[in-house]
Amino acid sequence: MNSSRHYLRQWQEKPVREVLAGAVATFALIPEVIAFSFTAGVDPQVGLFASFVISIVIAVFGGRPAMISAAAGSVALVAAPLVREHGVEYLFAAGLLAGAMQLVFGLLRLSSLMRYVSSSVRTGFVNALAILIFSAQLPHILNAGAMGYGVIAAGLAIIYLAPRLTTRIPAPLICVVVLTALCVALDIDVARVADLGKLPQGLPILALPEVPFDLGLLRVILLPALAIAMVGLLESLMTASVVDDQTATPSDKDAEARGLGLANIAASLFGGIAGCGMIGQTVSNVKYGGRGRLSTLAAGGILLLLMVAMKDIVSQVPVGALVAIMIMVSIDTLDWASLRRLRGNPGLSNVVMLATVAVTVISHNLSLGVLVGVLLSGIFFAAKVAGMQRVTRQGDTYVVEGQVFFASSDAFIDAFDPRDHEEPVTIDLTRATLWDITAAAALDKVTGRFAQHGLPVHVVGMAGGLPR
């Protein structure tokens, strides 16, 4: 009963604020989704349809209110080779399978694995995304021309000055409306949304992918589907964690995984590419007041309205206005405080954060950057814990303190010298813990060496045969 009331409250946030925040997120979505569609090798309408469907489904079933999910660049990068080799229908089939995998992930409550992603990795993830969001605008900026630069500059001025006049209407929304009206009224020659690609001609249609459902299909789509599922989960759960931090509210990561799985299944059935959480658009939504599920629903609903019912108007929106919004999003996404903390942070934490940023930016692969960050965090942590191990000799007794495991087992073995004893030896493990088979093998190796020198070994601090 309490959970039902909590769910209903997530729909009852201030509705006007929620809808306006969702509208801002929608305008932030349009250029990204169209660009990602080209990255995947599909028509823009495939990404736009997917974004509408994913937003609607995730608003209802997701576990992180106010999060914007849609067709994303990380998924597009994974999907592109499949589209090139087998066609878009195989992409839809892979999306169905990826969605099923994500649904199972959520049902098995595996989101707890996110606890192994350190704060340094999450900070690196956010900063890398900010850089990627800005870099994605560079082609539009470099090819804007004199008038285009003027539109971008005017857009940024409106975005940052409008809040001094009013905060009732989000500044990016004012930016889009004002600059579109000026460009149309004055017939200013700048790139428009219509120049970015083919927009939808109607509503999406529910249909199964036109592929043979047999083992041959599974062989083709299994690995791409697994990659789409893992990349999508990683980016969505990381984005949810960022929103948790920004709003100081918890979220249900398992529900988010289940919601993402259902959303990608639905998107694939409606002829859309699979997607995941969009951190730039989510940050924009939260910045302008999005806190509940209505903002996510509004983002999807407004996107469909703009792309279908108001397509002729949207097609006239200057690209420079959208670029200005995305520049603002990239600035807001970057964790500027993390740069100031570099001097005070432990050196290894900085290495993890900077490595996550570097790998992500160089590879344009968010999952690879996070993977490198997690691996480095694990290595550095293991090295730190291994360095805390102490073996102290007191006559013929060795007192072991700390953690004995794969990273500290060699130092553990080297601490014992059978040649320097004539009496039986005692190994005191009371203040030590042996964590794995490598540690157990190390203890066996030590006792074996003493046995070779004819020295009995008495091990204390064992409870039921196991170290305490």
Side-chain angles (χ1 to χ4, degrees):
M1 192 67 177
N2 289 334
S3 61
S4 298
R5 282 198 291 266
H6 179 65
Y7 179 81
L8 290 175
R9 281 198 299 270
Q10 293 174 343
W11 287 99
Q12 295 169 356
E13 298 285 347
K14 298 178 181 178
V16 174
R17 183 192 68 187
E18 291 285 301
V19 171
L20 290 176
V24 172
T26 300
F27 281 106
L29 270 176
I30 292 171
E32 294 286 295
V33 170
I34 292 175
F36 296 155
S37 297
F38 281 118
T39 299
V42 298
D43 288 334
Q45 67 179 12
V46 174
L48 293 168
F49 281 157
S51 300
F52 157 67
V53 174
I54 291 170
S55 294
I56 300 302
V57 175
I58 209 74
V60 177
F61 296 104
R64 174 63 265 178
M67 198 167 99
I68 304 298
S69 297
S74 54
V75 174
L77 289 170
V78 174
L82 179 64
V83 175
R84 283 197 303 269
E85 295 177 18
H86 300 281
V88 70
E89 294 294 330
Y90 281 82
L91 172 62
F92 301 152
L96 284 174
L97 183 56
M101 292 176 178
Q102 291 166 338
L103 184 58
V104 171
F105 183 95
L107 290 172
L108 294 178
R109 299 185 177 278
L110 298 178
S111 68
S112 59
L113 296 173
M114 285 298 296
R115 71 183 62 176
Y116 299 108
V117 180
S118 68
S119 177
S120 298
V121 176
R122 289 197 296 269
T123 301
F125 170 84
V126 170
N127 290 341
L129 272 173
I131 296 170
L132 290 179
I133 291 169
F134 180 79
S135 65
Q137 311 314 309
L138 289 177
H140 299 301
I141 296 173
L142 295 176
N143 298 317
M147 296 305 296
Y149 292 136
V151 170
I152 295 172
L156 289 170
I158 292 172
I159 288 171
Y160 287 105
L161 295 178
R164 298 186 179 184
L165 301 176
T166 179
T167 56
R168 290 180 177 272
I169 303 175
L173 201 54
I174 298 174
C175 166
V176 169
V177 172
V178 170
L179 291 181
T180 301
L182 285 175
C183 288
V184 171
L186 301 178
D187 194 24
I188 298 175
D189 184 19
V190 291
R192 311 291 175 95
V193 168
D195 300 322
L196 297 177
K198 180 182 177 183
L199 299 178
Q201 301 298 315
L203 295 172
I205 299 173
L206 180 66
L208 285 172
E210 296 180 2
V211 293
F213 287 90
D214 53 22
L215 288 177
L217 171 66
L218 186 61
R219 283 194 292 269
V220 170
I221 69 172
L222 179 59
L223 291 181
L226 181 60
I228 290 171
M230 291 300 102
V231 167
L233 282 169
L234 179 63
E235 193 162 348
S236 288
L237 296 181
M238 291 285 285
T239 302
S241 296
V242 170
V243 180
D244 291 350
D245 294 340
Q246 289 186 337
T247 61
T249 57
S251 61
D252 187 338
K253 304 298 192 302
D254 292 311
E256 187 63 31
R258 295 193 296 270
L260 181 63
L262 292 173
N264 282 332
I265 290 172
S268 300
L269 290 174
F270 277 101
I273 186 175
C276 62
M278 304 277 282
I279 192 166
Q281 288 71 17
T282 298
V283 169
S284 178
N285 184 42
V286 172
K287 175 181 173 66
Y288 289 98
R291 291 296 183 273
R293 295 178 181 271
L294 184 58
S295 61
T296 305
L297 183 71
I302 294 171
L303 178 63
L304 183 69
L305 179 67
L306 293 175
M307 291 297 96
V308 178
M310 302 176 65
K311 182 180 64 176
D312 292 339
I313 296 176
V314 173
S315 64
Q316 295 304 310
V317 173
V319 173
L322 303 181
V323 170
I325 293 174
M326 296 312 298
I327 291 175
M328 177 272 295
V329 169
S330 68
I331 292 172
D332 288 345
T333 300
L334 190 73
D335 185 352
W336 295 97
S338 68
L339 303 181
R340 295 192 295 270
R341 292 194 300 266
L342 284 175
R343 285 189 176 183
N345 286 344
L348 293 180
S349 294
N350 289 335
V351 170
V352 170
M353 190 272 281
L354 295 173
T356 303
V357 172
V359 173
T360 300
V361 171
I362 292 171
S363 67
H364 284 237
N365 188 326
L366 292 165
S367 59
L368 182 59
V370 172
L371 176 61
V372 169
V374 170
L375 288 175
L376 285 177
S377 295
I379 292 170
F380 293 155
F381 175 77
K384 183 176 181 180
V385 173
M388 297 169 66
Q389 175 187 273
R390 295 287 183 272
V391 180
T392 306
R393 179 178 173 181
Q394 300 172 359
D396 291 318
T397 299
Y398 290 88
V399 178
V400 184
E401 300 175 86
Q403 316 305 314
V404 186
F405 62 113
F406 65 89
S408 63
S409 60
D410 287 344
F412 174 81
I413 293 170
D414 293 341
F416 300 90
D417 187 359
R419 298 169 299 178
D420 197 25
H421 292 275
E422 296 180 357
E423 300 294 329
V425 173
T426 299
I427 299 177
D428 185 355
L429 296 173
T430 304
R431 286 177 284 181
T433 302
L434 274 65
W435 284 104
D436 54 19
I437 59 172
T438 305
L443 180 60
D444 290 341
K445 190 170 185 178
V446 168
T447 57
R449 285 183 177 179
F450 281 113
Q452 289 176 358
H453 286 75
L455 296 169
V457 177
H458 179 52
V459 179
V460 298
M462 306 285 282
L466 295 174
R468 290 184 300 191

